[in-house]
Amino acid sequence: MPLSPRPRRLWRDVILFDGLQQLPEPMAVLVEGERIAGLWPEREFDQSLAAGAEQAGRGGVMTPGLVDCHTHLVYAGNRADEFERRLEGVSYAEIAKAGGGILSTVRATRAASADELIAASLPRLDALLVDGVTTVEIKSGYGLTLADELKMLRVARRLGELRPVRVTTTLLGAHALPPEYAGDADGYVRLVCEEMIPAAAAEGLADAVDVFCEGIGFSPAQCERIFQAAHKHGLAIKAHAEQLSNLGGSALAARYGALSADHIEYLDEAGVRAMAEAGTVAVLLPGAFHCLRETQLPPIALLRQYGVPMAVASDANPGTSPICMPSLLANLACTLFRLTPREALAGMTAHGARALGHPELGRIAVGAPADLCLWDIQHPAELAYAVQPGRLRQRIFAGAITHAR
Ligand code: DI6
Ligand code: FE
């Protein structure tokens, strides 16, 4: 049977940010089927290069589809009450120690069915999509039993079937110690290592394993056991590390070849060096920094000096970053962390994709998947400069225009 020709679509005269930098002159971009098939400087473009292609757009700024490489998008309930208490001066750690915080979301998430979790999570996912996200990582971590962690991961996978978006999933069993294991953190870590990781790997429900390495989370020794179990089952590694204190979690994760160490406000030079040597991406989460009114800045100058790639992500979660708007996070990365707009945008495209182990995403290059955004702006820096929803003219997912106005 003859193959039906794959659709060919052409964008003309776009200002192009390729995931790392802005190209020096306007470009023409050809997409064939699900992939980018051609890139030419506009002034060299000749129609014979793209015979039969439909012109899908002209002008504007084109970027890779955005990659949100760190979210806790699937959960039930919300924590507006806690937000108010924190404004009155109660700290995040105090609320956590008193059984609130993550554990309050655990109670709501355990009580929710998969369908209820899907219904609660879709509006958050849709908020990311209308702001240009084409790849999103979603963590578990509000179930903390075998069944509830797997339920969360199944919901995350299902979200990727319900919407035109690539979803990668991460098992974050070691997010908090559930009440039934109070006083027995090692016993809980055993459950994570011996039951959750093997089951998630066997069912293909997780792409990576994450830990919360922190005084109010899990110790480096416990995290190391989890990394070993992840390795054994062929899963990638990520870590929430150095968010509230410096326990050396990032360096530990780097020694295990982690894709990323995330938060890292308290990271020191030895940790930065370890990450540089391992090729571990630094994931910056300005939403959590902002919502917790943190003052300890991540070591941006050291990360630059050692050439550690910096990703920027939403950390979308009900406690520390109830923000589902990548363009706002790009702005916060610049205003709070003094990233340049170019760094913030690279952090939400090429480096975000690397933090997920998918370097083929987050780039505009011939042969790469055609996940693209066309914005009604004059210069890529405007994405980080102005907080202004509605500038996305087209969202292109796997070559198909999935959002246009
Ligand atoms: N660090 C975070 O910022 C999120 N998890 C973590 O380990 C917060 C999760 C929450 O408060 O619900
Ligand atoms: Fe997080």
Side-chain angles (χ1 to χ4, degrees), residues 158-204:
R158 181 80 187 119
L159 292 175
E161 295 162 3
L162 293 171
R163 290 292 186 269
V165 63
R166 300 178 205 274
V167 171
T168 76
T169 58
T170 300
L171 173 68
L172 177 55
H175 194 196
L177 188 63
E180 60 276 15
Y181 277 87
D184 184 21
D186 284 320
Y188 180 67
V189 169
R190 201 174 314 124
L191 174 74
V192 173
C193 292
E194 294 177 9
E195 296 190 35
M196 290 182 189
I197 291 174
E203 269 195 63

Side-chain angles (χ1 to χ4, degrees), residues 72 79 92 101-102 105 142 175 212 240 243 263 288 315 317-320:
H72 309 248
R79 309 229 295 272
Y92 180 69
I102 293 173
T105 301
Y142 293 121
H175 194 196
F212 186 25
H240 285 70
Q243 181 185 9
H263 287 291
D315 198 15
N317 78 70
T320 62

Side-chain angles (χ1 to χ4, degrees), residues 79-127:
R79 309 229 295 272
D81 57 332
E82 234 177 68
F83 176 60
E84 295 199 41
R85 279 164 62 208
R86 286 210 313 273
L87 292 175
E88 288 160 7
V90 187
S91 77
Y92 180 69
E94 281 162 355
I95 291 170
K97 279 190 204 118
I102 293 173
L103 291 182
S104 109
T105 301
V106 169
R107 288 188 286 276
T109 303
R110 284 181 177 178
S113 68
D115 283 345
E116 287 165 343
L117 280 176
I118 290 169
S121 306
L122 272 176
R124 295 189 281 265
L125 178 60
D126 288 340

Side-chain angles (χ1 to χ4, degrees), residues 49-70:
L49 293 166
E54 157 214 350
Q55 186 166 314
R58 179 177 272 280
V61 168
M62 183 175 273
T63 67
L66 303 185
V67 178
D68 192 347
C69 70
H70 179 142

Side-chain angles (χ1 to χ4, degrees), residues 384-405:
Y385 151 73
V387 180
Q388 185 183 330
R391 295 173 296 178
L392 183 63
R393 191 196 310 171
Q394 288 176 347
R395 176 184 179 279
I396 299 129
F397 178 72
I401 300 171
T402 57
H403 164 91
R405 59 171 169 71

